[in-house]
Amino acid sequence: MRLIALLSGGKDSLYAAIYAQYVLGHEIVAAVNLYPTGPERPPEAVAGTDLVAWTDEVDSAMFQSVGAHVVGAAYADCLPSSIRWYRAAFEALEFHTDHGLRYRLAPHASALETPADEVATLHRVVGALLDNFEVQGLARPEGLLSGAILSDYQRLRIEHVASQHQLVSVAPLWRRDARELFDSICALGIEAIIVKVASLGLDMAHLGKSLYQVREHLMQLETRYGVHCLGEGGEYETLVLDSPWFRQRLVIDASSPVDHGSGSAYLRIERFHCEEKPAAMRADQQAQFSDWMQRERARPLWVFPLPLNGISFRKSIPTVLAPAGDANASAAERTPRSPMFQVRYRERLWHLSDDHRFYVAVCWVESSADVATHPTDPRCAVLAPPGEAARQTELLLLHLRQRWPDAACRPFQCLLFLANMQDFAAVNAVYAHYFAAEDAPPVRCCVQVASLPHPTSLVQLEVFAESVDLHGKGIHVQSLSLWAPACIGPYSQARIQHQGTTLYLSGMLALFPGTGEIPEGLSLPAQIEACLWNANRVVEALDDRGMKRPWQCRLCIAWYKAGSRDSAETHGRLIHEMLHKRLPRAQRFVLGVPQLPRNALVELQFVYERREAEFHGTHCPVIPQIAHDFLSWDTEDFEGAPQKLDASPGSSFHVCIPVLIPHSVYGSACTRLRCYLPPGKAPDKPSAL
């Protein structure tokens, strides 16, 4: 992929650029640097804004300011000549600091004719850069690279800017082990000095020292006080003077420490110059760089049972969804009308208590058109009207929005069932339009099923919602990294619900995080291991170590691509055996379907819990339990008015398990699992197939 690198002058952004190019195989074609400058006078429209009045140091949570004048004057001569260098000044710190899950402009941002805060400036300079590439007839960059490691604040804003320009956000260092990364930066031969300190255990005496000199001290501070050894909490900032990537090296001629107050200090660089590297130094750096590159390429980045050197990072570019059209336009205005249709809708709203509501809805479209839409029918692709699946999806979402029963409920999980996986891209684009505004969109699982409720149905949508007060946090990382597959789309990796007791994960595929693709030739057992690894990485990121109980997998539904009946049963038993070994405490269901996204062999759907699943006949849980406790096969009926459940002692109630279960890939009927919680009844062991 052709990337634009955000370079602050610090160690992380430079290491990320070198790593992306020489280990992951991307190509850095441009670099962007933002620096602070003071406006002539504060604009009245941004009263209360923390305006930048000096250029030595500002407390920006987005970009480094110390040494910005050095970066601007020298880096264009230090970086490889093939990299185009762009700089821009921001006049103010971000005027609307949103620490939520998604960056959005302040309500009064439209009142500013020329917003000059950090994020708006980045948006403007990236747009100008792309225009410049187009004017010169150069190939358009495809991604925006950053050195984000743990800062959601930075990552969310960079992802926002990337999405606005149809770029893929790339963050190769995201959630990498801090100590391992620190040592890798040093092993690469990056010469970086500390230019700012703002942490317990760091003072002006550490300014100007190299990473090598302060390594042991930083590790001790991390062990004793929780100081992040890479400075991800703002503990310190660095300036890179040299690296194997540089054509010239920087030399600081004169500098002085400045006490910035409140335990913060920075290094004011007064004079510096660039100088050519001696031949002996270049040879030593090249040897060190070669050793580092060999180790990093061989490092077990992933648990795939295939060598990583067989993966091409250039050929796979994730699809970035273009902004949809007018949100107020009707389905008829944006898509051609098909024959007469009827939206069928089944729903149930549980009032579990006065302030706790749990809502589930299932909807699909039935058309009077005499066309075959069964995925196994060879006429399907010919007879189904073009764009019909996307249109049905939009009708379902519009219908859902109009019939939403309770403003106090918000969706946390969606299940998307398609009659033909070839419609996935079109359906996903429409789906993204309706969930793009969500801070952390609902988790999602998508599969192709053997049949839908009506022969002309192409899409079935199931939505699960819960009271806003219980609507928990989620994780929605859209950047390509080596941590876990990115959600470059309208869904989150995971959501925590039910007052922090239950964790829902999106359907996990065997995607290699660095590319967002399934490596060729990956066997079924290897894909299962990859899915489990992906799930573990996401769960670890949401694991609050202060809790007494860690997350425990309680439910795993394995959707797998079934071929003939013999192979389907063989694969189903193999999956069940592997999951039994890896997830012994979870209820497991292995379900064959005709097709999965990305032509995967298996997709795993998980639900985790913190609490122990222990129920007694003397009470009925207030919070709906996941259907792993008491299960029976039954056809679920959503008809009827919303009901208030009887929660008296000794009673029982049922909650639908959030998944549609086809009898098999060969049958036409679809059933649901109903969850019963009768007092004193032990769960039966479910069948593997």
Side-chain angles (χ1 to χ4, degrees), residues 125-136:
V125 71
V126 170
L129 184 158
L130 294 174
D131 291 342
N132 184 261
F133 268 70
E134 182 178 357
V135 168
Q136 298 187 35

Side-chain angles (χ1 to χ4, degrees), residues 100 138 261 450 537 576 660 666:
L138 301 173
R537 297 285 279 178
H576 187 264
L660 182 70
Y666 312 99

